[in-house]
Amino acid sequence: MKNILELLNWRYAPKKMTGEKISSEKINNILEAAHLAPSGIGLQPYEIIVISNPEIKKKILPIAMNQPQIVESSHLLVFAVWDEYSKERIDNVFDYLAEKRNVDSAHL
């Protein structure tokens, strides 16, 4: 198994997309990894919106500084940060974590 630092050194930000459509399985793995990534007390205070509709991506293009990756990508992931915190929203996060870890939410 590769060392985590080797894996992180490989990553890059592509400036041009190949046109390849990313499989649903890969997108789901990316989303799961994002949900499991560390954040302040595990809240993940954002929603991830997956956009694959070309018309919606065209509408986003001007507000994304006309970066061609927006419309060339098969899927655009938008991280929408929470505008407010609520007890219900926080409880939902802890319930999700408890379910994924197979523990009682009181033990988180």
Side-chain angles (χ1 to χ4, degrees):
M1 184 170 173
K2 287 188 177 182
N3 175 308
I4 188 74
L5 295 177
E6 289 177 58
L7 294 171
L8 290 172
N9 278 320
W10 178 86
R11 70 174 170 63
Y12 66 99
K15 301 300 179 209
K16 181 109 176 103
M17 300 295 155
T18 65
E20 176 187 353
K21 180 144 173 72
I22 304 301
S23 71
S24 295
E25 181 182 4
K26 257 189 193 174
I27 294 297
N28 290 336
N29 286 339
I30 291 167
L31 294 172
E32 185 65 19
H35 287 297
L36 295 173
S39 68
I41 65 169
L43 277 182
Q44 275 77 12
Y46 50 81
E47 304 294 327
I48 303 172
I49 303 165
V50 181
I51 302 170
S52 58
N53 181 310
E55 294 306 313
I56 294 174
K57 292 191 291 184
K58 282 181 190 173
K59 289 179 180 180
I60 293 171
L61 184 63
I63 60 173
M65 300 170 44
N66 291 312
Q67 296 178 76
Q69 302 93 319
I70 300 299
V71 291
E72 293 172 350
S73 62
S74 68
H75 296 78
L76 177 64
L77 304 184
V78 176
F79 285 69
V81 178
W82 293 356
D83 57 352
E84 63 182 50
Y85 290 77
S86 68
K87 180 176 178 354
E88 179 184 19
R89 189 172 249 175
I90 292 169
D91 287 346
N92 285 340
V93 170
F94 281 104
D95 290 344
Y96 173 81
L97 289 173
E99 179 185 329
K100 286 294 183 184
R101 295 176 182 171
N102 199 27
V103 297
D104 186 305
S105 60
H107 293 94
L108 293 176

